[in-house]
Amino acid sequence: MSSSHDNFEEENNDNLVEEEYIKEEDILEGEVPDLEGPDYMDDDDEEEETTAGDGIEFRENPEDDNTMELADDSVQGFFDHRSPVYAIAMHPTSNGIIMSGGGDDKSYLWRCDTGEMLKCLDGHTDSVTSVAFSCDGRYVASAGMDGKVRVWNAETGDFCVAVDGPDEVIWIDWHPKGNILLAGASDSTIWMWAMPTGKFMNIFNGHAGPVTAGRFTPDGKKIVSTSEDTSFIVWDPKTASAEVRLSGEDARFHTEPITSVSVNKESTLAITGDVSGKARLVNISSGHIVAALENHSESIESSAFCDVLPLAATGSVDGTISVWDVQTQRLRATLSHEDAVVKVKFVKNSPLLASCSADKTVKMWDTRTGQCIKSWSGHHDTVLDIAVSDDGNVICSASDDGTCLVFSM
């Protein structure tokens, strides 16, 4: 694999700069910055009532070929899937282009302003579980329960390559600075390829159960992954060696299957969440367990770090979102849906947090105050995934009802 490692280094070394990790004492004893932060929202905007979708919208009923009149907060929608839509992603530079994938074994490229279908991306033989744009938006990838990953040119819609190797693929992630793609699978492995050629680069073996979540760190230097076997591993992408490993063998860590992982913007801290509702804050460099974050009574399905304030959020099946102060490790706020929280995502460079739920709604929160700024309805079943524009003004949702909807701030 030496040539593959060289390729990885050549493609990424120009952008990978050395950084200084947060030390334990800095986290535990450092000064807490002003959590009020910059003024990201005008008072007028905060008090303004939701206008998106006021009144009646016509949209196609996915159950049949007829149309029906529905009260709906969405401003647009995409209805070609006609089966559960499991994943959705937004183009990194052109927020108008959306990719979605679902139980019809297909992915689609479509426009969120018009709902126009741009390209049907087919070829899977089982449900599409994950979709993603490359860092510059030139390529799109889909992964499915058939164990295959397929890649297309996002600009032309031309098919590039199909790769396989893992079992059912649970998640995929592009390198933040290059065309390298990761896939985590139910057979306990993680695979890495150079795209769009599909050249195999590495396989990561170390978990003993399905790899439930994983990703490159934002600086691109490491990979983090979690498993049902209670393990959390930090990997070197070039050598596929495990640099840090934590598991239930340490009573301070998770003793139940881990379901989610997120990494802060500085690539220094990770939050892991498990099926019992417990979360752990971990120093990626040292493997030190910085804090136990415990406020949920059921499985944590999603977590996220804020880019601009020392805050993080965890979303749970118990219907709540916990907002944590990362530096003091204290609970700052508890936000509530009426049913299980499926996904939480911070707006880029903002304290605003988007969430979706089995209560069929999508919400936007101000984590500085704990207030719900907007709540959107329109779906008829669980909202399984969301994609948020960089400015937070557009949110696209994917639902078990077979539709994708577009909401506007």
Side-chain angles (χ1 to χ4, degrees), residues 11 134 136-141 149-156 158-163 174 178-181 192-201:
E11 293 180 34
S134 62
D136 58 5
R138 290 183 60 192
Y139 300 101
V140 291
V149 176
R150 299 176 64 84
V151 175
W152 291 263
N153 184 308
E155 298 172 354
T156 65
D158 293 338
F159 176 68
C160 295
V161 69
V163 293
W174 288 92
N179 294 324
I180 296 171
L181 188 66
M192 185 169 72
W193 304 272
M195 295 299 180
T197 63
K199 181 181 178 182
F200 172 79
M201 297 184 71

Side-chain angles (χ1 to χ4, degrees), residues 212-213 226 254 257-262 271-274 300-303 315:
T212 51
T226 61
H254 299 280
I258 304 176
T259 53
S260 64
V261 66
S262 60
I271 285 182
T272 54
D274 70 20
I300 293 173
E301 296 298 298
S302 180
S303 61

Side-chain angles (χ1 to χ4, degrees), residues 142-213:
S142 64
M145 294 184 70
D146 58 5
K148 291 180 171 56
V149 176
R150 299 176 64 84
V151 175
W152 291 263
N153 184 308
E155 298 172 354
T156 65
D158 293 338
F159 176 68
C160 295
V161 69
V163 293
D164 58 13
D167 198 351
E168 298 173 352
V169 180
I170 300 174
W171 55 269
I172 55 175
D173 187 53
W174 288 92
H175 192 279
K177 299 174 183 177
N179 294 324
I180 296 171
L181 188 66
L182 278 182
S186 61
D187 62 3
S188 79
T189 63
I190 303 167
W191 294 62
M192 185 169 72
W193 304 272
M195 295 299 180
T197 63
K199 181 181 178 182
F200 172 79
M201 297 184 71
N202 257 330
I203 184 170
F204 302 81
N205 285 300
H207 293 295
V211 187
T212 51

Side-chain angles (χ1 to χ4, degrees), residues 347-407:
V347 176
K348 187 176 182 180
N349 297 322
S350 166
L352 302 184
L353 179 77
S355 63
C356 63
S357 169
D359 67 8
K360 309 172 189 177
T361 68
V362 174
K363 296 181 185 291
M364 184 71 80
W365 311 84
D366 187 336
T367 56
R368 296 168 297 183
T369 63
Q371 293 182 338
C372 180
I373 300 171
K374 292 285 179 68
S375 181
W376 297 279
S377 298
H379 284 295
H380 299 277
D381 209 332
T382 299
V383 185
L384 299 173
D385 199 7
I386 49 175
V388 186
S389 64
D390 287 350
D391 60 9
N393 288 331
V394 176
I395 300 178
C396 297
S397 57
S399 172
D400 223 356
D401 64 13
T403 69
C404 301
L405 296 181
V406 180
F407 302 105

Side-chain angles (χ1 to χ4, degrees), residues 7-166:
N7 289 339
F8 185 94
E9 291 178 332
E10 290 173 3
E11 293 180 34
N12 294 279
N13 279 350
D14 290 341
N15 294 306
L16 304 184
V17 296
E18 293 298 321
E19 63 151 39
E20 185 173 329
Y21 285 90
I22 292 179
K23 298 178 181 179
E24 178 185 350
E25 57 266 28
D26 293 335
I27 297 170
L28 300 178
E29 300 177 2
E31 294 184 358
V32 179
D34 179 11
L35 286 178
E36 293 305 315
D39 186 9
Y40 286 92
M41 179 174 293
D42 295 331
D43 291 337
D44 292 340
D45 293 338
E46 197 163 335
E47 296 174 358
E48 187 179 15
E49 293 183 358
T50 303
T51 57
D54 285 349
I56 301 299
E57 296 259 347
F58 284 92
R59 72 181 176 91
E60 194 173 2
N61 180 3
E63 299 298 326
D64 54 47
D65 292 328
N66 299 319
T67 57
M68 60 187 299
E69 195 174 44
L70 295 171
D72 194 338
D73 295 328
S74 66
V75 296
Q76 193 51 261
F78 181 75
F79 312 105
D80 286 23
H81 281 285
R82 296 179 177 271
S83 61
V85 188
Y86 298 122
I88 194 165
M90 188 174 290
H91 193 287
T93 59
S94 175
N95 287 336
I97 307 299
I98 307 299
M99 185 182 188
S100 56
D104 55 0
D105 309 345
K106 297 176 182 178
S107 300
Y108 290 92
L109 287 176
W110 51 278
R111 294 191 60 88
C112 67
D113 54 351
T114 64
E116 175 192 3
M117 194 269 281
L118 301 176
K119 186 74 175 180
C120 175
L121 310 175
D122 56 12
H124 286 286
T125 58
D126 207 338
S127 297
V128 175
T129 54
S130 185
V131 298
F133 285 89
S134 62
C135 62
D136 58 5
R138 290 183 60 192
Y139 300 101
V140 291
S142 64
M145 294 184 70
D146 58 5
K148 291 180 171 56
V149 176
R150 299 176 64 84
V151 175
W152 291 263
N153 184 308
E155 298 172 354
T156 65
D158 293 338
F159 176 68
C160 295
V161 69
V163 293
D164 58 13

